[in-house]
């Protein structure tokens, strides 16, 4: 293949040849992804050292780039698409979503304004309304797609700050004697994205109040009420409460109905973090996970976690889009258009001006599997989690560490007579040995001070043989370590 010219683009023929080769590679990769070591085995600096230190002077052929991708880049990939990737909440890419991403890249549309690509805006509105219906939420929700739950939560808390009426948008927060200290409340097991949002919004990390949880790791509504009352008495201004539906550490589900009632008494915005677990409500018998959410002000769910949509695709819903718009909307003259007031300009609902066509891949996933197909896949993965939990429960010397609410299992090895330090050290060694072998990939957390292993199921290609493989690997590693190997 010839070197690309100095002016203009490559030829369509060259693109077709390379694109066909890339699609073939992707199809083969996804078909046989289980043959790769799940966790990358490269050492720090290996990839950088394998790449030229300077850019090319003249263009290089696409086929050379594909060869280097396979030989140099792929070894440095930890395979989230691997069916035995259990370390974190999955973000497996299903075929229809990958196809949607390819088409979106080809169009390269920017949906900042309605007029800059009407289909980008209107497909996003339709697709998110479909998702709302699938999850069993009521009418009245406005949705937008962001990149991650971290940004969705940031936007929600920005809207909450705007709704306080303290005019932070215009006057800022610095050196204002009239401004009370604003506070946000969440479970002690809430995701760190809430911490980061509080920091980025200038509220101060000290003003994020972590509320104690019960024996099931759920936020205690009575402890929340006590904290709110104490802060009001001390002169603070409660701004928002963030209950979780599926915490990262152990997938606990906070009592959203009670949290909403408590928060309302203190005038707080309620943002529900259901990034992982919210889509479980597509399964009829799991719809309870979103009980009470229709009374909240905002909600985040991540289709790129458990809805088989390629990264990145987070969905923020709010019942108060006006506050969200007031927090971010600006209209310089060069963005003024002659469209009607009925159109939505998605740039008004966040900090980004440019917006990728993310809804296309989600739309294609929803259409490819339908309500029943999505529900059956999520249901099956919850069944796999319960099966793995049963293996742990009935095997001597292992114990479950948290209720198996959905598709995450928290567990550990507990030898007779071992203290907490010895248990933690043993489980850390078991996890590292299993991960180093490359057949499966696990992670850990701490529940209280107890070191805990996590097995998270969510890849669209995971099935029983992968769960059985994980259990064999864990038992073998434990036997080897305890036997002195």
């Amino acid at each position: 293949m010839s070197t690309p010219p100095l002016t203009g683009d490559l030829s369509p023929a060259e693109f077709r040849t390379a694109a066909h080769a890339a699609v073939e590679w992707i199809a083969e990769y996804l078909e046989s992804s289980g043959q790769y070591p799940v966790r990358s085995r490269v050492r720090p600096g290996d990839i950088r050292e394998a790449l030229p230190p300077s850019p090319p002077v003249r263009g290089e052929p696409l086929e050379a780039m594909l060869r280097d991708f396979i030989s140099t880049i792929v070894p440095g990939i930890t395979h989230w698409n691997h069916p035995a990737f259990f370390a974190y909440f999955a973000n497996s890419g299903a075929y229809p979503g990958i196809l949607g991403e390819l088409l979106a890249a080809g169009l390269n549309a920017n949906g900042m304004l309605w007029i800059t690509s009407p289909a980008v805006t209107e497909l996003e509105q339709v697709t998110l309304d479909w998702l709302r219906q699938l999850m069993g939420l009521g009418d009245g929700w406005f949705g937008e797609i962001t990149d991650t739950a971290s940004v969705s939560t940031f936007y929600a808390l920005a809207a909450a700050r705007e709704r306080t009426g303290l005019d932070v948008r215009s006057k800022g927060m610095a050196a204002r004697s009239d401004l009370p200290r604003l506070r946000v409340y969440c479970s002690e097991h809430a995701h760190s994205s809430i911490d980061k949002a509080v920091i980025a919004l200038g509220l101060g990390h000290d003003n994020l109040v972590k509320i104690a949880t019960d024996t099931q790791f759920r936020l205690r509504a009575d402890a929340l009420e006590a904290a709110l009352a104490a802060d009001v008495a001390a002169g603070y201004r409660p701004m928002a409460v963030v209950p979780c539906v599926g915490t990262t550490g152990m997938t606990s589900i906070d009592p959203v109905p009670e949290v909403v009632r408590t928060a309302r008494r203190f005038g707080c915005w309620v943002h529900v973090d259901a990034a992982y677990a919210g889509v479980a409500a597509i399964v009829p018998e799991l719809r309870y996970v979103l009980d009470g959410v229709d009374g909240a002000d905002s909600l985040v769910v991540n289709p790129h976690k458990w809805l088989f949509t390629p990264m990145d695709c987070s969905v923020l819903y709010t019942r108060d889009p006006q506050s969200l718009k007031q927090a971010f909307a600006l209209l310089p003259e060069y963005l003024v258009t002659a469209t009607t007031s009925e159109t939505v300009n998605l740039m008004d609902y966040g900090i980004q001006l440019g917006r990728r066509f993310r809804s296309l891949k989600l739309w294609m996933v929803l259409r490819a599997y339908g309500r029943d197909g999505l529900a059956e896949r999520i249901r099956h993965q919850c069944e796999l989690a319960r099966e793995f939990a049963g293996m742990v429960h009935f095997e001597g010397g292992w114990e479950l560490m948290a209720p198996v609410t959905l598709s995450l299992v928290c567990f550990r090895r507990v030898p007779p007579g071992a203290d907490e330090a010895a248990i933690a050290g043993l489980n850390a060694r078991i996890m590292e040995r299993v991960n180093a072998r490359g057949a499966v990939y696990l992670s850990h957390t701490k529940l209280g001070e107890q070191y805990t292993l996590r097995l998270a199921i969510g890849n669209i290609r995971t099935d029983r043989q992968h769960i059985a493989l994980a259990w064999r690997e864990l038992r073998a590693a434990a036997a080897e370590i305890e036997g002195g190997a």
Side-chain angles (χ1 to χ4, degrees), residues 347-366:
M347 68 170 190
D348 291 340
Y349 298 91
I351 59 175
Q352 290 182 310
L353 178 60
R355 301 188 85 261
R356 295 174 52 223
F357 196 1
R358 291 187 180 97
S359 63
L360 187 62
K361 57 188 174 185
L362 178 57
W363 179 65
M364 294 181 77
V365 167
L366 298 184

Side-chain angles (χ1 to χ4, degrees), residues 369-390:
Y369 301 116
R371 179 197 62 195
D372 292 347
L374 294 170
E376 185 53 37
R377 285 165 173 81
I378 294 170
R379 181 186 293 114
H380 178 60
Q381 293 180 350
C382 292
E383 291 171 353
L384 293 179
R386 290 192 293 271
E387 290 179 17
F388 183 83

Side-chain angles (χ1 to χ4, degrees), residues 380 383-384 387 391 462-470 472:
H380 178 60
E383 291 171 353
L384 293 179
E387 290 179 17
M391 298 174 191
T462 299
D463 215 330
R464 283 186 172 85
Q465 69 265 28
H466 306 108
I467 303 302
L469 172 62
R472 289 197 302 271

